[in-house]
Every structure is written in C-alpha cells, then in structure tokens.
C-alpha cells in the first residue's frame, strides 16, 4: 500500500486504530528518508544542472525541480507530525477507555462484595437465631426430665446438669468445619482431629440416649388369670 493510500485510511471518516496509524507513520518515515536523499542529491548537483539549463534556456525547470522536492519533503514531515499526534490521541483514548473499563469492573466487584456481605450478615442473623433457639430447646429438654439426680452407688446421688444450653464454645468448631479451617482457629492437625471427632448432633443424640435410659424398664404386667 502506498503512503498516499495509507494516509487516506488514516484520515478517513472512521477512526483508525493505533496499529494502522503506526503503519502509516512507518511508511512516511521511509518516504521522508527517500525525499531527504533526493533533496540532498539535487542540492549538491544544483549548480551544474543550473548552468546546463541556463545554456539550454530553461533554468526554471531545474529550480522548479529542487523546489518541488523540498516541498514534498516538507509535506511529508508535516504529515508525519500529524500522524504522530493522532497516534498519541488514539493511545490516550485507548488508555482512557481501558481505565473506564477497569473502573466499571471495580464497581461491579464492589457491588458483588456488598451482595456477599449482605448475605453474610443475613446468614449471621439466621445463625444467631438458630443458636439461641437450640440453647432454649436444650434448657426445655433438661427441665422436661422427670428426674434431675441419679444414684451413685451407696454414697448418694449425682445431679444431672443441663447440657447444650450454652453453645458459644461450639461456634469456632462449626465455623472451622464449615470453612475448611479458614475461620475458627482449628488448623493443621487440630482441624484433622476435629473432622474425626463426634459432631454436635451426634453428641447430643448420645447424651439424650443416656438420659432416656434413666427411666428404666416399664413394669411387667401380671399374667392374666
């Protein structure tokens, strides 16, 4: 593609990209180098050619040739400056567009963060309500026991304490299991051990069995006569 065709693309209605403008600039640089060489050669040989032209009665031809070469060089240099300016403007526009996209992405990420925090906050309220409900259910279960003491041999009795009525200590364990150790303070071998321990519900089930075992076997009804 000639430099003229390249410049037509750069100056067309549609905005050319940086890569296309840089191609045009490279073409212009090549044309400028050639034009400078032509001007230099014409200037060095100007005197000789002018004397010959005067002798032939046409000195204006030699003068016009040098002027034309110098004007062409000047036009090319001005075109180079304009293309360079357009490249800078295109780069600035590209950078501005990229920055705008980055800010849009940042805003989207911040909105997603807010949504996640909203869900976390809502979940914490649900968790808190479930925790309090579980503690209340544990208190009611203990209060529902018909007996609160069990005999210990011949030395007296042992009072049955309430169980699972204060679950604050279970929170770190639950969080550690739910977050793969990222929250709760159980890491490494501690987390490994925690995963293999009996869970909260299983412990409650076992303790409930122990309590229910206190009712003993129902009395055997007399045989029918």
């Amino acid at each position: 593609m000639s430099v003229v065709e390249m410049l037509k693309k750069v100056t067309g209605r549609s905005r050319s990209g940086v890569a296309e403008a840089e191609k045009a600039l490279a073409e212009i640089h090549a044309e400028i180098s050639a034009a400078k060489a032509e001007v230099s050669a014409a200037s060095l040989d100007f005197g000789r050619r002018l004397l010959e032209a005067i002798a032939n009665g046409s000195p204006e031809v030699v003068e016009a040739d040098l002027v034309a070469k110098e004007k062409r060089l000047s036009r090319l240099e001005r075109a180079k400056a304009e293309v360079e300016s357009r490249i800078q403007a295109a780069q600035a526009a590209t950078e501005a567009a990229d920055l705008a996209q980055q800010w849009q992405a940042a805003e989207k990420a911040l909105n997603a963060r807010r949504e996640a925090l909203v869900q976390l906050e809502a979940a914490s309220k649900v968790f808190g309500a479930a925790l309090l409900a579980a503690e209340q259910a544990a208190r009611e279960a203990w209060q529902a026991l018909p007996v609160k003491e069990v005999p210990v041999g011949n030395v007296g009795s042992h009072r049955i304490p309430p169980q699972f009525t204060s679950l604050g200590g279970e929170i770190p364990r639950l969080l550690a299991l739910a977050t793969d150790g990222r929250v709760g303070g159980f890491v490494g071998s501690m987390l490994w051990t925690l995963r293999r321990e009996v869970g909260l519900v299983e412990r409650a089930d076992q303790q409930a069995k122990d309590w229910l075992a206190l009712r003993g076997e129902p009395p055997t009804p007399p045989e029918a006569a």
Side-chain angles (χ1 to χ4, degrees), residues 33-216:
S33 296
K36 284 182 177 179
E38 290 179 1
V39 170
S40 178
S43 297
L44 290 173
D45 201 32
F46 181 73
R48 182 189 63 78
R49 294 174 60 216
L50 182 59
L51 285 176
E52 290 179 356
I54 290 173
N56 295 327
S58 57
E60 65 279 358
V61 174
V62 176
E63 293 172 341
D65 178 67
L66 178 59
V67 170
K69 286 180 170 59
E70 289 174 341
K71 284 184 177 180
R72 180 171 181 273
L73 175 59
S74 178
R75 286 194 298 269
L76 288 170
E77 288 178 337
R78 291 189 180 188
K80 177 178 76 73
E82 176 60 23
V83 173
E84 287 175 339
S85 175
R86 293 195 179 198
I87 289 174
Q88 291 177 355
Q91 288 174 334
T94 299
E95 291 173 359
D98 290 343
L99 184 60
Q101 289 181 350
Q102 291 172 8
W103 277 115
Q104 288 177 355
E107 183 178 9
K108 183 178 179 181
L110 287 170
N111 289 337
R113 182 188 71 173
R114 184 184 187 280
E115 181 60 29
L117 292 175
V118 167
Q119 293 180 13
L120 176 62
E121 194 172 71
S124 70
K125 293 177 181 179
V126 173
F127 178 82
L131 179 72
L132 296 178
E135 290 180 343
Q136 178 61 27
R139 284 191 288 271
E140 292 175 359
W142 179 79
Q143 291 168 358
L145 287 177
V147 296
K148 298 292 191 298
E149 294 185 1
V150 292
V152 181
N154 298 321
V155 296
S157 62
H158 172 68
R159 181 171 175 78
I160 301 173
Q163 298 290 330
F164 304 102
T165 56
S166 180
L167 297 173
E170 296 291 336
I171 294 177
R173 302 164 65 91
L174 294 172
L175 288 176
L177 292 171
T179 62
D180 198 25
R182 293 185 61 185
V183 182
F186 290 83
V187 296
S189 61
M190 294 175 63
L191 180 61
W192 184 88
T193 302
L194 179 63
R195 285 174 175 157
R196 284 152 182 79
E197 290 179 352
V198 178
L200 175 62
V201 174
E202 291 177 273
R203 282 183 278 135
D205 287 346
Q206 183 58 53
Q207 188 269 322
K209 289 179 181 179
D210 294 340
W211 278 1
L212 292 176
L214 296 175
R215 63 186 169 188

